[in-house]
Amino acid sequence: KNQVEQSPQSLIILEGKNCTLQCNYTVSPFSNLRWYKQDTGRGPVSLTIMTFSENTKSNGRYTATLDADTKQSSLHITASQLSDSASYICVVSDGNAGNMLTFGGGTRLMVKP
Amino acid sequence: DAGVIQSPRHEVTEMGQEVTLRCKPISGHDYLFWYRQTMMRGLELLIYFNNNVPIDDSGMPEDRFSAKMPNASFSTLKIQPSEPRDSAVYFCASSGAGANGRSDEQFFGPGTRLTVL
């Protein structure tokens, strides 16, 4: 069964600090991995996407890494801002016809002033 | 483009009542997805359509749930009769087709928060 596990479930950091969120997956076949940001009361929005051959991708202060051998990914947030407070969801696509998504449970990040 | 549009944004109803959620996908997108999100279970795929045809409805919890897509610009998710355990946020997402014909990046709507009393 395809699964995506994220850790930690929740995290509180002070504004300006860095943090790293983790994602482990068992999805086969593998097509790509995305990190989504979901603000409270909104739908998820894609931050980064990585395919099998990519091991790092940046989007501003967000940097995602992928180790396809160990089936692990991380999302590093640099110099956190209050607006980074949200849930971050790791999502893995399979390579089948529907390119279906398997969602992690998310990490709820709170950035405090 | 206005993005994926969902209505209503909030719905409060009583157990046993019929509930209809609506979605307008991004124009030109071939795929439409309905998801349910709860604190306990996270995001779950209920059903998805390709070119208005339901492809996989294995995530639909039971016969009380039904979804239709009468045309490329409109879809509904209906719950009849509704139960308190259906309380959740329901998201609609749409995507285009990538070079290989498969679903590309999914764009999510703002969701409908459903409360069944």
Side-chain angles (χ1 to χ4, degrees), chain A residues 31 34 36 38 41-46 49 89 94-101 103-105 108, chain B residues 9 31 33 35 37 39 42-45 48 56 91 101-106 108-111 113:
Chain A
S31 178
R34 291 181 188 271
Y36 278 84
Q38 185 177 17
R42 309 287 291 273
V45 175
S46 179
I49 177 173
I89 305 172
D94 66 26
N96 294 320
N99 219 20
M100 288 300 92
L101 305 181
F103 290 83
R108 185 176 293 275
Chain B
R9 293 295 310 277
Y31 288 85
F33 305 81
Y35 292 92
Q37 186 177 41
M39 288 292 292
L43 271 161
E44 302 173 283
L45 176 66
Y48 82 94
D56 184 352
F91 287 101
R102 297 200 293 257
S103 168
D104 208 342
E105 178 183 355
Q106 294 184 26
F108 286 77
R113 180 173 294 278

Side-chain angles (χ1 to χ4, degrees), chain B residues 77-94:
Chain B
L77 177 67
K78 185 176 294 186
I79 309 172
Q80 165 64 19
S82 59
E83 297 182 2
R85 59 193 169 119
D86 301 330
S87 297
V89 181
Y90 291 81
F91 287 101
C92 176
S94 71

Side-chain angles (χ1 to χ4, degrees), chain A residues 63-74:
Chain A
T63 300
T65 65
L66 174 65
D67 185 334
D69 292 331
T70 61
K71 299 187 177 181
Q72 296 179 325
S73 176
S74 66

Side-chain angles (χ1 to χ4, degrees), chain B residues 6-71:
Chain B
Q6 291 188 246
S7 65
R9 293 295 310 277
H10 303 273
E11 177 80 29
V12 180
T13 189
E14 292 186 342
M15 182 173 63
Q17 296 298 307
E18 177 180 296
V19 175
T20 299
L21 312 181
R22 297 173 175 79
C23 174
K24 176 179 169 54
I26 293 173
S27 177
H29 278 186
D30 300 318
Y31 288 85
L32 184 140
F33 305 81
W34 281 101
Y35 292 92
R36 178 172 65 177
Q37 186 177 41
T38 61
M39 288 292 292
M40 291 296 295
R41 301 170 69 93
L43 271 161
E44 302 173 283
L45 176 66
L46 300 177
I47 184 172
Y48 82 94
F49 296 81
N50 180 213
N51 293 323
N52 313 338
V53 176
I55 303 300
D56 184 352
D57 65 353
S58 59
M60 297 285 261
E62 47 198 272
D63 292 345
R64 297 184 298 107
F65 286 69
S66 62
K68 294 181 180 180
M69 192 166 186
N71 57 63

Side-chain angles (χ1 to χ4, degrees), chain A residues 19-86:
Chain A
C19 67
T20 300
L21 314 180
Q22 301 290 344
C23 172
N24 297 334
Y25 63 91
T26 55
V27 176
S28 182
F30 174 87
S31 178
N32 60 63
L33 183 148
R34 291 181 188 271
W35 282 92
Y36 278 84
K37 179 186 180 187
Q38 185 177 17
D39 292 312
T40 301
R42 309 287 291 273
V45 175
S46 179
L47 291 174
T48 64
I49 177 173
M50 287 179 293
T51 59
F52 185 86
S53 59
E54 298 174 297
N55 55 25
T56 188
K57 184 72 70 78
S58 291
N59 178 1
R61 293 178 298 102
Y62 300 102
T63 300
T65 65
L66 174 65
D67 185 334
D69 292 331
T70 61
K71 299 187 177 181
Q72 296 179 325
S73 176
S74 66
L75 180 68
H76 185 75
I77 304 175
T78 303
S80 60
Q81 300 177 358
L82 299 180
S83 59
D84 293 331
S85 296

